Amino acid sequence: MKVLLNLILISGMSILMFSCKEKAATAGEKGEVATTGGIQYNAALDMTTINWEGSKPTGDKHTGTINISDGQLFVSNGKLTSGGFNLDMNTIVVTDITGDDKSDLEAHLKGTEADGADHFFNVTKFPAGKFEITSVTDTTGENGLNALVKGNLTLKGITKEITIPANVAVTEAGVTVSTPSFAINRTEWGVNYKSKSIFSDLGDKFINDDIVLKINLTATPAAAPVQ
């Protein structure tokens, strides 16, 4: 009986840990963007990556990347205080498949075919997204995480504030912001295609609401401080 209770306890703890790990970042109402000022760093496009992952309940998943078009970070007293970056939604790429399957899925995600234009990101209507910092708070976390970066994420014209754990490093040579994998609930930004939480008649033919993201952003000093 004791062994059985221990197994139940361990299983419950495992489920709880898994659930916490997979839980999407809470999306709240749009926050006030932090005022820029201090030393400006411009995003190095060739050293910045944003990876994404989407999945189905069957375990099937797809992975890919998306590029930023530009970005700026601002540092005061050696601390990241404000800034953000713009997403080029036309650069959505699928990395786990090739050939026609790859190009078909990329077209579907971008919505470049008329019959599925609004299934996902509808890049013709919404060619850009963006993230704008509202606050940065020092913290101590696992794997060297030292900051909670809160900011407004805009996709498909919808803006929600989210909080992202990150490792922020500031030196004279530049600023790096790297995150562990974190999830957002796509339906918060109107990406509702085959969402079981939106459509109740899908059975097991649905796509998970969570999109997993991982950001590594590097910025280098601009020509002069911003007053």
Side-chain angles (χ1 to χ4, degrees), residues 5-209:
L5 288 174
N6 285 339
L7 287 172
I8 293 172
L9 179 60
I10 292 170
S11 298
M13 290 175 65
S14 298
I15 292 170
L16 179 61
M17 290 172 66
F18 179 80
S19 300
C20 291
K21 181 180 178 181
E22 295 299 316
K23 185 178 180 181
T26 301
E29 294 302 312
K30 180 171 67 172
E32 183 177 351
V33 175
T35 303
T36 58
I39 302 174
Q40 179 177 330
Y41 294 77
N42 294 332
L45 304 188
D46 59 340
M47 294 189 288
T48 296
T49 59
I50 299 179
N51 295 285
W52 59 262
E53 179 184 300
S55 62
K56 294 181 179 180
T58 57
D60 293 340
K61 65 181 180 180
H62 289 295
T63 59
T65 61
I66 184 170
N67 295 340
I68 69 170
S69 56
D70 62 88
Q72 295 80 38
L73 298 176
F74 295 86
V75 171
S76 294
N77 298 319
K79 297 285 188 179
L80 174 66
T81 57
S82 59
F85 55 83
N86 292 307
L87 292 162
D88 182 353
M89 303 306 291
N90 281 286
T91 65
I92 295 172
V93 170
V94 178
T95 56
D96 63 298
I97 51 178
T98 58
D100 290 342
D101 290 339
K102 171 184 169 72
S103 56
D104 288 349
L105 181 53
E106 289 173 352
H108 195 190
L109 293 173
K110 294 176 185 179
T112 52
E113 299 175 348
D115 58 348
D118 205 44
H119 283 178
F120 289 98
F121 295 103
N122 197 346
V123 300
T124 301
K125 186 176 181 180
F126 304 104
K130 63 181 176 180
F131 180 81
E132 297 174 287
I133 294 174
T134 57
S135 67
V136 181
T137 305
D138 291 341
T139 187
T140 301
E142 297 180 358
N143 302 317
L145 301 178
N146 61 12
L148 292 177
V149 180
K150 184 177 288 188
N152 293 331
L153 175 63
T154 301
L155 297 171
K156 296 185 75 173
I158 298 171
T159 302
K160 298 282 186 176
E161 187 178 56
I162 61 173
T163 301
I164 307 171
N167 179 271
V168 178
V170 178
T171 68
E172 290 185 0
V175 180
T176 59
V177 180
S178 57
T179 76
S181 296
F182 67 95
I184 61 171
N185 183 332
R186 60 189 173 92
T187 65
E188 296 277 2
W189 289 268
V191 184
N192 298 331
Y193 181 69
K194 288 192 175 182
S195 165
K196 194 173 184 178
S197 63
I198 302 295
F199 305 103
S200 59
D201 59 348
L202 295 174
D204 61 354
K205 306 297 183 183
F206 65 95
I207 299 172
N208 292 331
D209 287 346

